[in-house]
Amino acid sequence: MDRWKGRVALVTGASVGIGAAVARALVQQGMRVVGCARNVDKIEKLAAECQSAGYSGTLIPYKCDLSNEEEILSMFSAIKTLHKGVDVCINNAGLAHNEPLLSGRTEGWRNMIDVNVLALCICTREAYKSMKERNVADGHIININSMGGHRMVQSADEHFYCATKYAVTALTEGIRQELREANTHIRATCISPGIVETEFAFRHHNSDPEKAAAVYESIKCLKAEDIASAVTFVLSAPPHVQIGDVQMRPVEQVS
């Protein structure tokens, strides 16, 4: 990870869960991390914790609604002005709504598409532009996906969410191919966790906290820090090594 010290990483959805763990890990490794979310209070607290811990990097909170393209473009403009640009883009932000295919609300579907798919594409496009403008040949785009992007969960509440994650699987390979066509050594990686114990299930099942708790009580789940370790593993691979898709799940998880 030495070659990443002092360089800039963007982590979307950095206020809680996997995003917060990834941001902390990269700051610990000496990176300048722009952590964005709709609410930056928790990121500001995490930044103070990183500073108190004596980590060699810095965490810069940035308020951004990823469902709004103008806010994303404004964020990248600010990063360019203040930090020259993005060297690593971690597309972590994602959400799920209980909106089945046969009875779900269009509003919920659209929100999942906006955040899970379009925001990822916009951030990737803008990060690539930033790298290209500065002749950064060793940048990295990492998409935090899901095992739901490789097999359909047998729950109607999850089907549309899984569809957005299947899109992430396809998009990551598409990004990799386009980067090769551009004759660059910028890499693209997809990290697909199984069940991770975060706030995700409680947000997804916000009307049924007992159901959310049961998700994490049934088996020994992955921790957000496990995903952060996967991110640093991918980033620390030699520049000539392309890690395409990292699938990781709890040992006790059946599918």
Side-chain angles (χ1 to χ4, degrees):
M1 289 292 290
D2 285 349
R3 68 190 177 90
W4 295 113
K5 287 183 178 178
R7 299 181 70 179
V8 178
L10 169 66
V11 180
T12 67
S15 60
V16 294
I18 293 172
V22 170
R24 179 192 293 274
L26 297 184
V27 171
Q28 195 169 6
Q29 293 292 337
M31 297 193 75
R32 288 182 291 156
V33 178
V34 176
C36 79
R38 287 176 298 176
N39 188 320
V40 296
D41 292 348
K42 291 181 179 179
I43 304 177
E44 290 172 347
K45 181 180 178 182
L46 178 59
E49 291 174 1
C50 289
Q51 186 175 15
S52 297
Y55 295 160
S56 55
T58 54
L59 176 58
I60 304 104
Y62 195 95
K63 182 179 177 62
C64 181
D65 179 356
L66 291 168
S67 65
N68 185 322
E69 181 175 8
E70 291 305 315
E71 290 197 22
I72 298 175
L73 297 180
S74 177
M75 174 176 66
F76 273 90
S77 178
I79 293 172
K80 180 178 181 178
T81 300
L82 299 173
H83 310 289
K84 297 184 179 179
V86 172
D87 301 307
V88 174
C89 180
I90 313 287
N91 289 308
N92 164 75
L95 51 80
H97 297 299
N98 296 332
E99 304 292 354
L101 299 176
L102 300 183
S103 60
R105 296 172 304 151
T106 305
E107 177 186 1
W109 295 342
R110 184 175 290 115
N111 189 221
M112 284 186 272
I113 288 288
D114 285 345
V115 176
N116 299 1
V117 180
L118 288 179
L120 178 148
C121 291
I122 297 167
C123 287
T124 295
R125 180 190 68 201
E126 297 305 310
Y128 174 67
K129 285 183 182 178
S130 174
M131 295 173 197
K132 188 176 180 181
E133 287 173 357
R134 295 174 296 121
N135 296 315
V136 172
D138 64 342
H140 210 134
I141 296 161
I142 299 177
N143 296 328
I144 305 300
N145 195 0
S146 167
M147 285 304 299
H150 301 274
R151 84 283 187 271
M152 186 61 73
V153 176
Q154 292 186 353
S155 169
D157 292 346
E158 313 280 349
H159 289 163
F160 197 93
Y161 168 75
C162 286
T164 66
K165 291 303 183 177
Y166 267 85
V168 173
T169 300
L171 289 166
T172 306
E173 175 58 15
I175 293 164
R176 187 195 69 80
Q177 291 185 16
E178 291 189 25
L179 289 171
R180 298 292 71 75
E181 291 170 4
N183 197 29
T184 175
H185 285 83
I186 296 169
R187 297 178 291 180
T189 300
C190 182
I191 296 177
S192 302
I195 301 175
V196 186
E197 188 173 357
T198 64
E199 294 84 356
F200 188 87
F202 289 96
R203 292 181 174 183
H204 182 35
H205 303 293
N206 57 8
S207 62
D208 191 348
E210 290 185 4
K211 183 176 181 179
V215 172
Y216 299 138
E217 291 170 356
S218 59
I219 61 173
K220 183 174 177 57
C221 302
L222 298 177
K223 302 294 185 182
E225 290 74 18
D226 297 325
I227 318 307
S229 295
V231 169
T232 56
F233 166 75
V234 165
L235 286 172
S236 62
H240 68 283
V241 176
Q242 169 73 63
I243 300 175
D245 188 8
V246 178
Q247 296 185 24
M248 52 195 299
R249 55 165 69 86
V251 172
E252 298 173 17
Q253 186 173 339
V254 176
S255 63

